[in-house]
Amino acid sequence: MLLVLALHPASGIFGRVLWKPDEPREAAIAGRMARPGADLVIPHLGRTPFCEKPPLYYWAAAGSILML
């Protein structure tokens, strides 16, 4: 019973999609950084540098994408 109660909050974590307006943009930037040969210093949205957040955020997201 304790195991079921511990896993219950994580039950919907894989069943949701990206919510608007920011998450699809953040996922696109991280996905671009996860590509081979991508610029890892400056995040890009399309061809435009996107420096609203520190690169550490996008490095962590790109690393999690590469783990999939």
Side-chain angles (χ1 to χ4, degrees):
M1 185 67 174
L2 190 59
L3 180 65
V4 171
L5 290 175
L7 293 177
H8 175 69
S11 64
I13 198 166
F14 298 109
R16 74 176 199 81
V17 296
L18 297 173
W19 294 336
K20 296 193 180 212
D22 296 338
E23 285 186 357
R25 179 185 62 212
E26 305 295 334
I29 294 169
R32 186 178 183 98
M33 289 185 87
R35 293 181 190 161
D39 184 9
L40 298 177
V41 178
I42 300 172
H44 285 82
L45 180 61
R47 295 180 187 213
T48 307
F50 190 80
C51 300
E52 285 188 14
K53 291 187 179 177
L56 181 59
Y57 174 81
Y58 299 109
W59 293 338
S64 67
I65 289 171
L66 290 173
M67 289 176 42
L68 293 176

